[in-house]
Amino acid sequence: MGKIISIAIPKGGVGKTTTAVNLSLAMAKKGYEVLLVDVDPSGQCAASFKLNNYKNGSIFDVFSSTKKIEDVIYDSGYDNLSCIPMRKSSYNDEVRLLILAEKVMNLRYALSTLLVKFDFIIIDCPPSLTGTTTNILNASNSVLIPIRATKYSMDELGRILNHVKLINKTSNANLKIEGIVLTIDEPKTKISHKIKKELILKYPNLIFKTSIPKTIKVQEASFDNQPVLVYDPQSSCAKAYLKLADELILRNELRGIFFE
Ligand SMILES: Nc1ncnc2c1ncn2[C@@H]1O[C@H](COP(=O)(O)OP(=O)(O)O)[C@@H](O)[C@H]1O
Ligand SMILES: [Mg+2]
């Protein structure tokens, strides 16, 4: 059976989407069957796979109960990697999505039906805690938290960790923290050292050893609608995502979580 990992923190611009796309592809390259699900109304995951015509619908239609989840799975163009896109949403769509996400708990069921087919289902969350993100966390086995080395990110980290505790008490006792990964990192700066030190001290079992360095290659890759792993496989960032995938897989093997 596979595992559902959501990528979440209630903050934008921290590398959630970049991590969701490149980590998914890194795991697929290692031979795992991966499904990337975009549940952020800004709908940016699919752009990396040059998917822009979702004629069979998107995750939005699954939330609205007008499509079955298996009907909105698209080929990413890369081996072992499939993608469920989110259609680019208008303001009205976003409001509707929030209402649907608060009301229906169908995502957990819908995704669980896919776990026989996929080793990993990776979900890119919106930069919020309530509504859609809570619905996604209820459907997940774990949450991977990307943060940047800033004071505000540490505050947001506290918020999501508290939110996971609340969800553990109320609606999903099995939700675990997959880990915390430092993204868009500038390892030579004082603030990066300080934050890493604080993270290791406070969360020694949660912080990933691998951090993702800041590089212009990521921006160039997104301009070209490609994952950085494809745009420049030799870049520091591409190598870091492959290392992160190794670390994540090893952690899961050590915990004996999968596979059957
Ligand atoms: N490792 C990195 N180095 C440089 N820029 C990055 C890196 N990761 C992400 N970015 C850039 O930072 C911005 C925010 O990243 P994104 O993944 O969209 O964050 P989020 O999904 O949390 O809003 C984007 O412009 C992206 O290209
Ligand atoms: Mg995003």
Side-chain angles (χ1 to χ4, degrees):
M1 281 287 272
K3 182 170 191 188
I4 304 173
I5 304 176
S6 47
I7 313 244
I9 187 160
K11 189 164 177 19
V14 297
K16 284 187 297 301
T17 302
T18 307
T19 300
V21 166
N22 288 285
L23 183 63
S24 295
L25 186 56
M27 311 250 253
K29 280 182 179 292
K30 289 177 190 299
Y32 296 98
E33 205 53 56
V34 182
L35 173 67
L36 170 62
V37 187
D38 189 356
V39 192
D40 184 349
S42 61
Q44 285 169 345
C45 284
S48 296
F49 308 115
K50 300 187 168 71
L51 261 177
N52 42 29
N53 176 16
Y54 324 140
K55 57 181 186 322
N56 300 333
S58 80
I59 193 75
F60 195 95
D61 302 292
V62 178
F63 273 100
S64 342
S65 307
T66 53
K67 289 270 181 185
K68 288 192 187 142
I69 199 154
E70 56 268 30
D71 296 336
V72 296
I73 299 177
Y74 295 77
D75 187 354
S76 73
Y78 300 101
D79 287 350
N80 306 331
L81 179 59
S82 305
C83 178
I84 298 185
M86 164 64 91
R87 78 166 184 227
K88 289 240 175 351
S89 308
S90 63
Y91 171 77
N92 283 344
D93 286 341
E94 271 193 47
V95 173
R96 199 152 154 253
L97 185 67
L98 267 179
I99 295 166
L100 289 168
E102 295 273 14
K103 275 193 186 158
V104 278
M105 291 292 294
N106 65 352
L107 191 64
R108 187 191 325 217
Y109 173 74
L111 289 175
S112 66
T113 62
L114 301 177
L115 284 175
V116 283
K117 190 159 176 249
F118 294 100
D119 299 314
F120 290 103
I121 298 178
I122 309 268
I123 310 179
D124 187 23
C125 292
S128 58
L129 282 183
T130 51
T132 323
T133 301
T134 297
N135 188 289
I136 298 164
L137 294 179
N138 281 329
S140 301
N141 298 112
S142 70
V143 53
L144 190 154
I145 308 169
I147 72 161
R148 286 189 73 164
T150 64
K151 156 110 183 58
Y152 294 120
S153 291
M154 291 301 282
D155 295 346
E156 300 307 337
L157 175 61
R159 281 182 69 209
I160 186 139
L161 291 174
N162 283 337
H163 193 59
V164 170
K165 275 187 201 149
L166 181 73
I167 287 184
N168 284 153
K169 277 190 205 140
T170 52
S171 44
N172 182 2
N174 299 320
L175 179 68
K176 304 271 189 315
I177 310 287
E178 190 66 45
I180 301 164
V181 60
L182 201 58
T183 53
I184 321 182
D185 185 28
E186 294 173 277
K188 290 190 180 127
T189 59
K190 244 189 210 167
I191 181 78
S192 169
H193 277 286
K194 268 192 166 174
I195 299 260
K196 267 182 207 152
K197 223 169 136 186
E198 194 174 329
L199 285 169
I200 292 168
L201 206 70
K202 272 192 173 166
Y203 311 107
N205 300 323
L206 294 183
I207 181 79
F208 280 101
K209 287 194 186 76
T210 311
S211 58
I212 310 296
K214 181 177 180 178
T215 156
I216 194 67
K217 299 285 177 191
V218 175
Q219 316 265 357
E220 290 174 6
S222 68
F223 196 76
D224 255 30
N225 291 324
Q226 280 189 325
V228 72
L229 224 67
V230 175
Y231 177 77
D232 187 350
Q234 293 309 316
S235 64
S236 55
C237 190
K239 287 180 182 164
Y241 276 117
L242 287 166
K243 243 175 110 185
L244 182 67
D246 282 337
E247 209 184 330
L248 191 151
I249 289 159
L250 183 69
R251 278 187 184 198
N252 278 281
E253 282 172 356
L254 290 178
R255 289 177 192 149
I257 293 177
F258 66 114
F259 297 97
E260 287 172 345

